[in-house]
Amino acid sequence: MSRIAVCPGSFDPVTLGHLDIITRASSLFDHVIVLVSVNMQKSNFSFSLDERKNMIRSVTVDIPNVTVESFDGLLADYVKQVGAIAIVKGLRAVSDFEYEFQMALANKKLYDGAETVFLTTSAENMYLSSSVVKQIASFGGDISHFVPEQILDDIRKRLVKEK
Ligand code: PNS
């Protein structure tokens, strides 16, 4: 039986930190579904759902066991629907922990058939987040160390403010 993991997030936009977690998850599971999901605490997205999915597709094109989907319901329902055995998330720092712990417990309560697996973020990505990338890009800063090369131009075009 194929061991499926779901890697959920907003991915607005996908960063090298996300890509690191997705790549490592792809070597642990038979199939990884990167799931662009709804976060009710975030509503002002810089990129549309299709743009976010296409950016993830373009940076994971060389990883054969990764697919990209979206879902606007409960993560636990999606995980059950596709028969996944794990939800994979990256943990950057202690500051992530409380929120992630709460979500992991809630998801387990909603669906007992999958475990949340935390991968520690690589040291070079500890400080990285989509919002940091957006702030730096909007002020014309260099984001080439933070996002995959394939989507650099897409992000710059959208976010760099005209002077
Ligand atoms: O990248 P983010 O925004 O930190 O990811 C959070 C996300 C999208 C994974 C989380 O908000 C989520 O799982 N949303 C789906 C809706 C859901 O199931 N909410 C309850 C989680 S306990």
Side-chain angles (χ1 to χ4, degrees), residues 7-26:
C7 209
S10 304
F11 304 106
D12 187 48
V14 65
T15 66
L16 284 175
H18 294 130
L19 186 57
D20 172 48
I21 299 294
I22 296 165
T23 305
R24 284 156 60 202
S26 75

Side-chain angles (χ1 to χ4, degrees), residues 1 4 7 13-14 18 26 28 36 58 70-71 95-96 126 144:
M1 209 179 84
I4 303 170
C7 209
V14 65
H18 294 130
S26 75
L28 294 172
V36 184
S58 79
S70 54
F71 189 65
S95 51
D96 280 346
M126 282 290 279
S144 61

Side-chain angles (χ1 to χ4, degrees), residues 8-11 37-39 42 73-76 89 99 103 106-107:
S10 304
F11 304 106
S37 319
V38 175
N39 181 342
K42 297 179 185 168
L74 279 176
L75 176 62
K89 304 221 68 185
Y99 173 66
M103 281 203 292
N107 284 325

